[in-house]
Amino acid sequence: MSTQQTNTAAQSQDEPRIRRGRTGALLARWGLSGEWLVTAALIYIGFILFVAVFGFLFQPYPHTQMDLFNQLQPPVFMQGGSWEHIFGTDELGRDVLSRLIRGLRLSVLIGVIGTVIGAVLGSFLGIVAAHFRGWVEEVLMMLVDVQVSLPFIIFALAVLAFVGNSLTILIIVVGIDGWERYARLARSMVLTANQQDYVLAVRSLGLGNFRIYQRHVLPNIMGTLIVQATINLPGVILLESTLSFLGLGVQPPMTSLGQILGVGRDYLILAPWIAVLPGMVIFFLTLSIATVGDWLRDRLDPTLK
Amino acid sequence: MTRYILIKILRSTFTLWIVVSAVFLILRASGDPLYSIFSLGTPESTLDVFRAKWGIDKSIFEQYVIYLSDITKGDFGTSFFDGQPAWDLVVERLPKTLLLGGTTFVISVVAGVTLGAIAALKRGTFWDRGIMTAAVASFSMPSYFLALLLILLFSLKLRWLPTSGASTWQHLILPATTLGLTLSGSIARFVRSAMLEVLRQSYMRTARAKGAPKWRQIVWHALPNAAIPTVTVIGFQLGWLIGGSVVIETVFAWPGAGRLFITAIGLRDFAVVQMFILMVASTVIIANLLVDILYGLLDPRISVIGVKK
Amino acid sequence: MTEFNHHNSVAPSAATEKYLLEVRDLSVVFDTAEGTLGVVDNVSLKVQAGRTLGLVGESGSGKSVTCLAALGLLPQRGRVTSGDVMFEGRDLLKLSEAEMSDLRGCKIAMVFQDPMVSLNPVRTIGWQISESLRLHQNLSKGAARRRALELLDLVGIPEANARFGEYPHQFSGGMCQRAMIAMAIACEPSLLIADEPTTALDVTIQAQILELLSQLKTELNMALILITHDLGVIAQVADDVAVIYAGRIVEEAPVLDLFDAPLHHYTQGLMNSLPRVDRKVDRLSTIGGAAPPPQDFVPGCRFAPRCSHCDVSCAGERPEFQNVGGARRVACRHPMTSGG
């Protein structure tokens, strides 16, 4: 009735046009006007990416360089701090800022690669299951059941402790996390897509399976999968940081944010900055990605739960 | 109905078997545990005695068959480390884990459902935005970091609460808060969207048109409907809660099964690790079964559990 | 209670006394992202006790919103900006939410369009009917159950005892609507508002439900507001008719007069689109164009863009809703001459 009509009419229209400067116009083009949290989150993510990629250029010291005369020196904004070590030093006199920059790089790297692995693996299995149906699908759904029945962090801890933890194994383990979500999503979307008229039509034209998936099915489900990946990314970053915090993730001399935190935990009273700074960086990073992920989902794919 | 439940139980048992087997194979294939238990230079002859004693001199396949047949007899293996039955070690730690997990779970469900419902009812207001921002923040926060911050504030600075251990009820507060914040955040978020979905249904207007007071509309008409999807999600969160409690028990030195697990993986104590994983997987699987049954009880449209009419 | 109110109501003119419900100059707006939309514009309606008012208009014309506003059931973004709704000497718009709750489902009840989704899926039919009784009549559980069973009988649901404990999904559409009606009449309201009660139902069931409503109206001596887009339905059950277009009442008349000689061109258009047995029509004529959404309302007569008789004067000011003899009123500068 009229209620619904005005409702849809309201949704189809954008915000009322108001005078905006150039920044405003840019924000509007990206659908960001009024979304201050999302804008701030995007800026923060951009900053983190920049530091992760180019941070080594500004890194004041090598992250492993010890200065045994300046152990546990507070950051510049605390009493006793100095500009020499802006964020202070740790228990071995290593520069915390330098370690943050290095740790951030590895955390972001593992998070992103891990997410890509999970997304590709899961989506591939999901598509395979939807394509072949029958026992292939049965086996896959059973694997999903298995994955769901064991909290992933427990599995990851056991594997890393027993099998050993090189960076490669860590990335693979972290990458496996969440594959079942993509698999389920891809499977159900491909099942739907395969029923669609245009897919049936191109199939009847004799187009090969690979071409059909590449040209017609994948482009249609890609958006949803990417949104799902954005939603999963914070979880992957948190998983890596937790594993490293517990000492089973990234191993010295390499460092990641979680690992710095794990070390800082022992100096919580004497030098809280060692733990608090990387924790804040992680928290704002996952918060920003989650905020952007929600925003993307609402904009691109409201069907996704 | 009975047949359906039977099939479900069979399937669950099968899943459990796969989990146990997979973990067994991955762990046993990872190399000889004795080298990490005994110091270097221990004569091979001594090691062989222990290998024979613990049955790890046999091939992996033989070990696997023995392990499975032992399980059916109720023998879950012996800890390499202190020679006690793995079952006893894990079970004696369970009450503490259940205390922490149970407290967290109850508080989170109550807080999550309440906050989620409030956010939905006050949609678009300050309350809604506040609760939802807090919810996103709560599960973006690394739980161990939150734990450290709480310790820093309440134990080290204010000296109100103990940092570690489990001897008094005060010891429960910090770990339960840490776990509960994250859990209630994700529950609140889900309850909000489930409630919003329910609130725009026509039957809610019928309830108003009937003259039902506001609280009655919410408690008797909206919540029972919103509960249906929520139960599934809360069921899934149980796995998360167990995973999270492993980390939190470690940070707070809470003497539960999760901390035992972390110690055991450090010692490469096969039997204890496997026992713990078996326990966790069965808990999650049984919880999912219960959720299925509960789902059927809550939604009259489902005649046979899990099957929509 | 009623006595008391009669005594105290502000200057109750004889005219007000005559009507059970009188909606006066009611305007409703919806707040949306693109601004405020006037959905209902100075609508006035009168319902006499025991009579049936048919409120007819296309979807989106504001007919449901008018009634929802009168009952205080507007969705959150809807607001009443002017007017009052007099019922038994009280202005419903000035009542508190608690007072309205006491009234809704008791003195005024409502039946909605799609019965399948208007019933709560997780509550039994019996529970939902008993709820009305327990809310307003303080009946015990047992007494409410007995009365609910009687009501199920009354609305023609067979085997009431067995069906009492069933859920809405176990009922057919027609049976759901009967249950909705049972729920609505549970407390013997003096006014029942039925919002497109038959639209979602099969044609054969439609007639039965209309029949049931008419019969209940007589038995319980209720007034009935029947909201519909279907003049055929109006012809079957209404005593008086109000035609609504784009948020305004354009014509008001007793049912026989209206069908005899519609005065507004929109009413005529609606009538032409009705299939008739007494007249040979080559095709079902319809009005060109579609009912405009609120953001496309034009100044002056809102029907003008679709009207074949409009001229410059129609685009200027809002046409006055004028009396044209008897109980008839029309808002048109160039009303149809009788015969049409």
Side-chain angles (χ1 to χ4, degrees), chain A residues 37 138 141-143 145-146 148-151 153-155 157-159 161-163 184 238 241-242 245-246 248 258 261 265 268-269 272 275-277 279-280 282-283 286-287 290-291 294 297 305, chain B residues 11 14-15 18-19 23 26-27 30 133 136-137 139-142 144-145 148-149 151-152 156 189-190 236 239 242-243 246-247 250-251 261-262 265 268-270 273 276-277 280-281 284-285 288:
Chain A
L37 267 180
E138 282 294 314
M141 293 328 276
M142 195 203 67
L143 278 178
D145 279 356
V146 169
V148 168
S149 64
L150 186 60
I153 189 155
I154 291 175
F155 173 78
L157 285 169
V159 168
F162 280 79
V163 181
R184 276 188 185 151
L238 285 180
S241 80
T242 308
F245 172 80
L246 291 172
L248 284 158
L261 241 161
R265 176 189 163 196
L268 212 49
I269 308 177
V276 172
L277 288 172
M280 284 314 204
I282 301 176
F283 170 56
T286 48
L287 181 60
T291 308
D294 282 355
R297 180 186 56 190
K305 272 270 158 77
Chain B
R11 230 187 123 92
F14 185 67
T15 308
I18 301 278
V19 173
V23 168
I26 293 174
L27 298 195
S30 66
T133 310
V136 178
F139 57 78
S140 297
M141 181 68 114
Y144 57 88
F145 179 53
L148 292 188
L149 287 183
I151 290 177
L152 197 58
L156 303 180
R189 225 163 99 104
F190 191 81
F236 275 123
I242 295 175
V246 167
V247 180
T250 309
V251 178
F261 168 73
I262 294 285
I265 56 172
R268 295 167 69 98
D269 200 344
F270 278 147
V273 171
F276 179 76
I277 287 178
V280 169
V284 174
I285 287 171
N288 286 345

Side-chain angles (χ1 to χ4, degrees), chain A residues 163-218:
Chain A
V163 181
N165 43 15
S166 68
L167 187 59
T168 323
I169 295 179
L170 178 64
I171 291 179
I172 291 173
V173 166
V174 165
I176 294 173
D177 181 30
W179 70 272
E180 83 277 5
R181 270 167 259 172
Y182 302 99
R184 276 188 185 151
L185 206 60
R187 174 180 158 272
S188 70
M189 283 192 301
V190 171
L191 284 181
T192 320
N194 279 344
Q195 295 306 310
Q196 232 116 70
D197 288 342
Y198 69 89
V199 175
L200 295 175
V202 290
R203 183 151 286 156
S204 69
L205 289 175
L207 213 60
N209 278 326
F210 182 73
R211 283 321 265 297
I212 293 177
Y213 281 109
Q214 186 200 5
R215 289 270 187 86
H216 298 280
V217 176
L218 260 185

Side-chain angles (χ1 to χ4, degrees), chain B residues 206 208 210 216 220-221 225, chain C residues 104 118 120 128 131 136:
Chain B
T206 308
R208 282 174 77 199
K210 221 185 229 191
R216 202 184 157 87
W220 291 92
H221 290 271
N225 280 288
Chain C
R104 284 195 292 249
S118 295
N120 195 323
Q128 296 189 52
E131 192 188 22
H136 299 292

Side-chain angles (χ1 to χ4, degrees), chain B residues 153-170:
Chain B
L153 181 63
F154 291 103
S155 305
L156 303 180
K157 291 268 188 284
L158 298 172
R159 299 192 175 277
W160 287 352
L161 295 164
T163 54
S164 57
S167 37
T168 65
W169 63 268
Q170 286 103 323

Side-chain angles (χ1 to χ4, degrees), chain B residues 165-268:
Chain B
S167 37
T168 65
W169 63 268
Q170 286 103 323
H171 286 89
L172 186 59
I173 295 177
L174 284 186
T177 310
T178 313
L179 274 174
L181 268 178
T182 315
L183 190 57
S184 45
S186 55
I187 292 178
R189 225 163 99 104
F190 191 81
V191 167
R192 175 181 181 268
S193 70
M195 271 298 264
L196 283 179
E197 182 65 29
V198 168
L199 288 176
R200 58 185 191 82
Q201 299 295 320
S202 303
Y203 54 75
M204 289 310 297
R205 190 177 56 186
T206 308
R208 282 174 77 199
K210 221 185 229 191
K214 190 84 186 165
W215 65 268
R216 202 184 157 87
Q217 292 168 29
I218 295 163
V219 176
W220 291 92
H221 290 271
L223 283 179
N225 280 288
I228 298 167
T230 307
V231 157
T232 318
V233 169
I234 293 181
F236 275 123
Q237 294 293 332
L238 189 75
W240 179 91
L241 179 62
I242 295 175
S245 68
V246 167
V247 180
I248 292 308
E249 284 184 9
T250 309
V251 178
F252 286 99
W254 182 266
R259 186 151 164 263
L260 174 73
F261 168 73
I262 294 285
T263 320
I265 56 172
L267 298 167
R268 295 167 69 98

Side-chain angles (χ1 to χ4, degrees), chain C residues 9-141:
Chain C
S9 52
V10 189
S13 64
T16 322
E17 296 283 326
K18 239 175 76 188
Y19 300 107
L20 176 68
L21 176 87
E22 194 178 357
V23 175
R24 290 187 300 221
D25 290 329
L26 183 75
S27 297
V28 179
V29 297
F30 277 21
D31 296 315
T32 67
E34 58 190 302
T36 307
L37 298 176
V39 180
V40 170
D41 185 9
N42 287 295
V43 161
S44 298
L45 293 172
K46 300 186 192 87
V47 188
Q48 290 175 30
R51 279 176 77 89
T52 300
L53 171 73
L55 185 54
V56 68
E58 285 165 281
S59 57
S61 57
K63 52 194 194 305
S64 297
V65 175
T66 306
C67 292
L68 290 175
L71 276 186
L73 292 177
L74 282 178
Q76 244 181 3
R77 59 185 194 289
R79 262 183 309 126
V80 173
T81 49
S82 75
D84 44 33
V85 178
M86 302 304 294
F87 178 80
E88 293 184 340
R90 290 195 287 177
D91 183 355
L92 298 188
L93 299 179
K94 295 206 171 69
L95 295 186
S96 69
E97 181 61 28
E99 287 172 307
M100 275 311 280
S101 284
D102 287 344
L103 204 73
R104 284 195 292 249
C106 179
K107 292 284 177 111
I108 309 179
M110 197 157 173
V111 172
F112 295 100
Q113 177 169 1
D114 193 342
M116 305 288 267
V117 299
S118 295
L119 286 165
N120 195 323
V122 305
R123 297 283 174 202
T124 62
I125 297 286
W127 187 93
Q128 296 189 52
I129 296 173
S130 311
E131 192 188 22
S132 299
L133 296 162
R134 299 181 68 188
L135 276 169
H136 299 292
Q137 301 190 335
N138 272 326
L139 292 188
S140 69
K141 209 172 170 183

